[in-house]
Amino acid sequence: MSRPELPTEVDLLVVGSGPVGSAIARRVHEAVPSARILMADLGPRLTGEAGLHLSNLPAQERGELQAKSQGRDPRTAPGEDQALVKKYADRGTHLVAPRHEEQPEQEGMPAAVMSSNVGGMGVHWACTAPRPLDSERVPFLPEEELDAALGVAEDLLSVTQDAFEDTAGGQLVLKTLSELFDGDYPDGRHVQPMPLACTPRSGALPRWAGPDVVLGPLAHGGDGRFGIMADTICRRVLFEDGRAVGAVLQHLPSGTEFKVRARAVAVAADALRTPQLLWASGIRPHALGRYLNDQPKTVSSVQVKDGPAAGIEARGSVDFTGDIRDLETGRFWVPFADPGRTSHGQVMTLDTSPIDGVDPELFVGMVWYGAKEIQASDRVEFSTTEADAYGMPKMTIHYSLTERDREGIARARADQEKIAARLGDFLPGNEPELFPAGSSKHYQGTVRMGAADDGTSVCDSFSRVWGFENLYVGGNGVIPTSTAVNPTLTSVALAVRAAESISALLARENC
Ligand SMILES: Cc1cc2nc3c(=O)[nH]c(=O)nc-3n(C[C@H](O)[C@H](O)[C@H](O)COP(=O)(O)OP(=O)(O)OC[C@H]3O[C@@H](n4cnc5c(N)ncnc54)[C@H](O)[C@@H]3O)c2cc1C
């Protein structure tokens, strides 16, 4: 296997090419145009345009690329239950540690997944991108600074509430949700169309925003000062006296290991592998890997009695080969609110009428994510002796629900039952079900941000690792609060702040 040209020195090394690493690269590139930026991702490049969302491709082309993003399969142990693996791992992801039949579903996060490809989970995500509210927000960030960063993140991800055209089915669902829940909210908050990261297209599904959109011109290669190394794992961050000085990278197909020097390093390698890389580098603050926070996920679907169709026919032909998102005609938001509404609800309308043999009525899919009570004991632990399929420290996840979490889940279930009672009936076998821990794919807290270096956090309010001048972390792991909202927008906003800090550092050092 031939090896690519190996860089020896850059200004910024970004590890991980998902939406968060991409946001850091793009913002630093714009602020300090002379900076040489290298982005390394252990997975393959799937498309010419780096980080293109795979749902923008014809359905038939996706399968092979989704399979490529699943990375090296960590399941080497005999006896894994393949049916469970299939049920819990989304297309384009693989399970960290799939469950055996006898393992309780809510312990140890059996459904935790990762993607390993240029663009990360960002080429597969559902693009739901609302803002955090009330206690979901980071309390020690000045309100206006957080709002400004969220605004930039919305621009980077092209977030809109006009993703789908208005349909009679959508209006019925929105009216029903409003009647049921609007009374629970403070002034100004209400059920509404979901903010989604995409560009609407008349008569067609929206164009979904992947990391390609975040990267902007860099997705096509940039101007020679930016490069992406695919299939290249970061094995260790190198540091001296509180300064990251570079990293050890390895081009996986050829096995070539090499060092790159860097003035700043940003690790945005997802909420499980960012702490893994810090651990592997010998950077092990007390909070590393702790406060792991998933969002309990309750799911159901309803078939609407005598309802209007949701309007897919207006789209003309539908390209459907099994991915239900191709049939979506609208998405609505039942927001979080303190106190009481501890879940964030996502309601999709689907109209399957073009499918042979399926009743052409309006279908409504509901997903409720709950805010989890945060515990230091919920954690990912890294082995000092055993390695995973990539030769990095093996992970073991410790995770359990509390009494308060279970009360929140009961409220989520009750919300969905109220909706079903108004609209029609649950589809047989689709009554509200709590999915196994890890199903949300919204893992947070493992490299959390803090107001002070008091042992309960890993980084400061600009995502800089405590004790380091120039080492930054990014991704959902940075979020320190208990949230129910989909986290990517928040993580991109926190990355925008990290990029400001990195840019100031590089500008000071005259890049
Ligand atoms: C099917 C699906 C639907 C989702 N829907 C939503 C949604 O609607 N809304 C929402 O907010 N979130 C959603 N998510 C989650 C969302 O995709 C993540 O929040 C987001 O991608 C996180 O971005 P990231 O850049 O931090 O990490 P990722 O996108 O996971 O990227 C991390 C990258 O780091 C790379 N990496 C890891 N370790 C190393 C290493 N040592 N060296 C080099 N590279 C490394 C990986 O290969 C990967 O490409 C969804 C996820 C999935 C899978």
Side-chain angles (χ1 to χ4, degrees):
M1 171 63 68
S2 69
R3 7 170 275 196
E5 204 181 312
L6 305 178
T8 52
E9 192 174 346
V10 296
D11 297 307
L12 172 63
L13 171 67
V14 180
V15 180
S17 63
V20 173
S22 298
I24 293 174
R26 167 94 185 264
R27 295 290 288 176
V28 173
H29 179 78
E30 283 175 355
V32 190
S34 59
R36 294 158 303 162
I37 303 172
L38 174 66
M39 184 183 259
D41 201 293
L42 59 77
R45 187 166 176 146
L46 305 174
T47 49
E49 221 166 342
L52 178 75
H53 197 298
L54 297 188
S55 293
N56 297 323
L57 296 173
Q60 303 86 298
E61 285 179 30
R62 281 177 225 157
E64 195 190 325
L65 299 178
Q66 284 166 336
K68 270 184 154 182
S69 2
Q70 290 169 358
R72 289 186 186 172
D73 197 332
R75 294 165 300 112
T76 46
E80 301 293 1
D81 185 321
Q82 291 304 315
L84 292 172
V85 170
K86 254 196 168 146
K87 179 168 173 194
Y88 300 137
D90 272 288
R91 293 152 196 262
T93 67
H94 65 245
L95 291 163
V96 177
R99 122 177 205 272
H100 291 265
E101 269 309 354
E102 65 279 7
Q103 184 188 343
E105 285 198 343
Q106 300 304 327
E107 281 176 28
M109 243 190 223
V113 293
M114 311 187 279
S115 297
S116 299
N117 53 277
V118 169
M121 286 193 193
V123 309
H124 309 290
W125 73 313
C127 296
T128 305
R131 288 188 176 208
L133 299 165
D134 301 340
S135 58
E136 293 182 313
R137 290 167 63 96
V138 182
F140 48 85
L141 293 185
E143 291 266 313
E144 60 289 0
E145 284 187 26
L146 179 56
D147 283 332
L150 286 163
V152 176
E154 283 165 342
D155 287 345
L156 283 170
L157 288 163
S158 29
V159 177
T160 174
Q161 286 187 288
D162 297 322
F164 292 99
E165 285 169 43
D166 217 11
T167 64
Q171 281 168 9
L172 171 74
V173 170
L174 188 57
K175 181 166 166 284
T176 307
L177 296 173
S178 300
E179 285 168 4
L180 286 171
F181 303 118
D182 277 355
D184 296 351
Y185 290 115
D187 279 353
R189 196 171 307 167
H190 50 87
V191 173
Q192 53 196 281
M194 184 65 87
L196 296 172
C198 64
T199 305
R201 291 186 294 195
S202 177
L205 273 167
R207 187 176 195 285
W208 301 108
D212 61 323
V213 171
V214 178
L215 285 168
L218 302 185
H220 302 276
D223 55 7
R225 292 192 172 268
F226 171 75
I228 302 179
M229 290 195 76
D231 298 307
T232 301
I233 190 169
C234 181
R235 294 251 168 242
R236 279 192 315 284
V237 175
L238 301 169
F239 60 96
E240 287 164 11
D241 304 325
R243 251 191 100 81
V245 294
V248 176
L249 304 180
Q250 186 184 27
H251 179 240
L252 291 170
S254 62
T256 308
E257 209 170 84
F258 61 102
K259 281 186 191 166
V260 61
R261 293 189 66 77
R263 286 172 202 255
V265 176
V267 183
D270 81 38
L272 299 172
R273 288 178 288 185
T274 295
Q276 181 190 50
L277 178 55
L278 264 56
W279 174 270
S281 309
I283 302 166
R284 300 177 180 179
H286 182 71
L288 192 77
R290 293 176 205 269
Y291 306 99
L292 174 60
N293 173 16
D294 180 38
Q295 297 170 341
K297 177 174 169 182
T298 305
V299 180
S300 64
S301 338
V302 165
Q303 185 162 17
V304 179
K305 269 195 212 133
D306 306 323
I312 209 164
E313 278 157 31
R315 232 185 259 157
S317 71
V318 175
D319 186 18
F320 180 66
T321 56
D323 187 342
I324 200 76
R325 278 191 276 172
D326 292 329
L327 303 174
E328 187 176 8
T329 51
R331 212 181 299 175
F332 302 96
W333 181 24
V334 183
F336 173 93
D338 284 323
R341 294 216 58 84
T342 54
S343 285
H344 148 96
Q346 195 169 292
V347 180
M348 283 165 113
T349 54
L350 302 171
D351 174 338
T352 50
S353 59
I355 307 303
D356 285 348
V358 176
D359 195 336
E361 279 187 303
L362 173 61
F363 288 82
V364 173
M366 297 188 264
V367 180
W368 257 229
Y369 296 108
K372 167 101 179 72
E373 190 172 9
I374 293 182
Q375 318 180 92
S377 55
D378 291 331
R379 60 184 288 230
V380 49
E381 189 186 353
F382 302 104
S383 174
T384 47
T385 52
E386 288 182 83
D388 67 13
Y390 284 93
M392 297 296 278
K394 188 171 176 215
M395 302 181 198
T396 305
I397 298 180
H398 306 274
Y399 194 78
S400 61
L401 294 181
T402 68
E403 205 40 52
R404 213 189 319 151
D405 298 334
R406 292 193 183 278
E407 287 162 15
I409 292 158
R411 284 195 296 275
R413 194 181 292 265
D415 281 352
Q416 296 187 354
E417 281 166 354
K418 274 193 217 163
I419 297 169
R422 287 284 293 271
L423 286 178
D425 288 315
F426 287 118
L427 284 163
N430 283 268
E431 295 79 13
E433 180 188 351
L434 174 64
F435 273 30
S439 303
S440 77
K441 300 171 282 292
H442 297 166
Y443 326 123
Q444 299 164 48
T446 50
V447 285
R448 70 206 294 249
M449 177 179 274
D453 184 8
D454 59 4
T456 66
S457 58
V458 168
C459 65
D460 69 13
S461 68
F462 285 94
S463 305
R464 190 166 41 181
V465 176
W466 294 116
F468 283 84
E469 281 172 50
N470 61 346
L471 174 60
Y472 294 79
V473 280
N476 302 337
V478 174
I479 298 172
T481 47
S482 168
T483 70
V485 72
N486 318 62
T488 307
L489 179 80
T490 306
S491 292
V492 171
L494 299 179
V496 165
R497 286 171 54 83
E500 272 167 34
S501 174
I502 296 168
S503 302
L505 179 128
L506 294 182
R508 269 200 310 277
E509 298 192 355
N510 292 325
C511 287

